[in-house]
């Protein structure tokens, strides 16, 4: 019926509105995911730069370690030469010993720094790898969200088209309902008119019965005229034609 169709149209419109709202939410989610993907790519690039810097620092520490080793050798040679010089080389021997101790401490510190840099570089590599994997996963999420957004957009569009089609059907049904009501009113009017004609025919039949021809009794009907039965049949046939036309 028209009421059921109106209810269905309301439900389809509500579904279309919900699909549009979901589409808007998915679009916002897709945009946020793309922004996060850009941030993740920047993080990957930053981690790569940090990894390169750590490798450069490790190379510098290696150079410092080599310098400390060479300084230690020079201090050792200087101590040997000071011992050969005897009493005149005692002061130089003390300085060579201090230089050697300083070189050894520098070498030890360089080794510790190198170890720390190595550990940091390893951790940075692991972090960069994890960030890269996270970036790849986020890129897949962005792709999937884009696909979902496309599907939801098509669903919203289809729901809108269905709502429009049902609206047109609803208009047609309402017009048909109005025409049906008009036809029913016309049938009622025709029925009332037929009933009125039947009443008039009965009255006319009574009047015809009162006419008489010369030479016949006043109670005899006009010769060749319609009697009441024939008049009723005529108007009943007319009533039937009027109802069929309605």
């Amino acid at each position: 019926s028209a009421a059921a169709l109106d209810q269905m149209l309301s439900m389809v419109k509500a579904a279309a509105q919900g699909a549009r709202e979901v589409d808007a939410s998915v679009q916002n989610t897709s945009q946020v995911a793309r922004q996060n993907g850009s941030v993740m790519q920047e993080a990957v690039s930053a981690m790569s730069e940090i990894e390169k810097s750590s490798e450069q620092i490790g190379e510098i520490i290696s150079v410092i370690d080599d310098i400390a080793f060479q300084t230690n050798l020079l201090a050792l040679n200087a101590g040997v030469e000071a011992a050969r010089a005897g009493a005149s080389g005692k002061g130089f021997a003390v300085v060579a010993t201090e230089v050697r101790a300083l070189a050894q401490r520098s070498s030890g510190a360089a080794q510790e720094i190198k170890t720390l840099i190595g550990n940091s570089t390893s951790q940075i590599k692991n972090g960069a790898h994890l960030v890269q994997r996270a970036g790849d996963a986020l890129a897949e999420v962005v792709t999937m969200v884009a696909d979902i957004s496309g599907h939801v957009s098509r669903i919203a569009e289809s729901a809108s088209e269905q709502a429009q089609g049902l609206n047109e059907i609803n208009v047609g049904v309402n017009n048909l309902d109005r025409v049906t009501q008009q036809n029913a009113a016309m049938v009622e009017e025709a029925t009332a008119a037929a009933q009125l004609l039947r009443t008039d025919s009965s009255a006319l039949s009574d009047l015809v019965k009162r006419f008489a021809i010369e030479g016949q009794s006043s109670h005899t009907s006009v010769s060749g005229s319609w009697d009441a039965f024939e008049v009723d049949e005529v108007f009943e046939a007319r009533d039937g034609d009027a109802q069929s036309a309605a």
Side-chain angles (χ1 to χ4, degrees):
S1 62
L5 188 60
D6 287 335
Q7 184 177 2
M8 183 180 297
L9 179 60
S10 299
M11 294 175 62
V12 172
K13 286 183 177 180
Q17 181 63 28
R20 285 192 293 269
E21 292 177 357
V22 172
D23 182 41
S25 299
V26 172
Q27 291 289 343
N28 294 331
T29 303
S30 179
Q31 184 178 359
V32 172
R34 286 193 296 268
Q35 292 176 355
N36 291 335
S38 300
V39 173
M40 190 64 68
Q41 290 297 328
E42 293 177 359
V44 171
S45 299
M47 294 295 288
S48 299
E49 294 296 330
I50 293 173
E51 183 179 359
K52 292 179 181 178
S53 299
S54 298
E55 292 176 354
Q56 292 176 356
I57 293 173
E59 293 176 357
I60 294 172
I61 296 300
S62 297
V63 173
I64 294 174
D65 189 23
D66 292 337
I67 293 173
F69 180 73
Q70 295 295 330
T71 303
N72 187 25
L73 290 178
L74 291 174
L76 181 60
N77 292 330
V80 172
E81 294 297 331
R84 289 180 181 178
S88 59
K90 289 183 179 180
F92 187 74
V94 173
V95 174
T97 302
E98 293 296 331
V99 171
R100 184 180 179 186
L102 180 62
Q104 290 177 352
R105 288 197 299 272
S106 298
S107 178
Q111 289 295 331
E112 292 178 359
I113 294 173
K114 187 175 182 180
T115 301
L116 293 175
I117 292 297
N119 294 332
S120 298
T121 301
S122 178
Q123 293 177 359
I124 289 171
K125 287 182 178 179
N126 292 332
H129 181 66
L130 293 176
V131 170
Q132 182 65 44
R133 290 177 59 187
D136 295 339
L138 187 58
E140 293 180 358
V141 171
V142 170
T143 303
M144 294 176 65
V145 169
D147 293 338
I148 294 172
S149 177
H151 291 308
V152 173
S153 297
R154 287 190 290 272
I155 291 172
E157 183 178 358
S158 177
S160 299
E161 292 178 354
Q162 290 178 1
Q164 183 178 0
L166 285 177
N167 189 26
E168 294 176 356
I169 295 173
N170 188 32
V171 172
V173 170
N174 289 330
N175 292 333
L176 183 60
D177 190 15
R178 185 174 62 254
V179 172
T180 302
Q181 292 177 359
Q182 292 176 354
N183 290 336
M186 292 176 63
V187 169
E188 291 178 357
E189 293 176 357
T191 303
Q195 185 66 32
L196 182 60
L197 288 175
R198 183 179 290 107
T199 301
D200 293 340
S201 67
S202 298
L204 181 60
S205 177
D206 293 337
L207 291 175
V208 169
K209 289 178 180 180
R210 297 178 183 180
F211 289 96
I213 299 176
E214 184 178 356
Q216 294 182 353
S217 173
S218 61
H219 296 287
T220 304
S221 300
V222 178
S223 177
S225 62
W226 293 345
D227 58 10
F229 179 75
E230 290 175 340
V231 173
D232 287 340
E233 285 184 343
V234 171
F235 284 104
E236 286 176 358
R238 183 179 299 176
D239 292 344
D241 294 338
Q243 291 180 358
S244 299

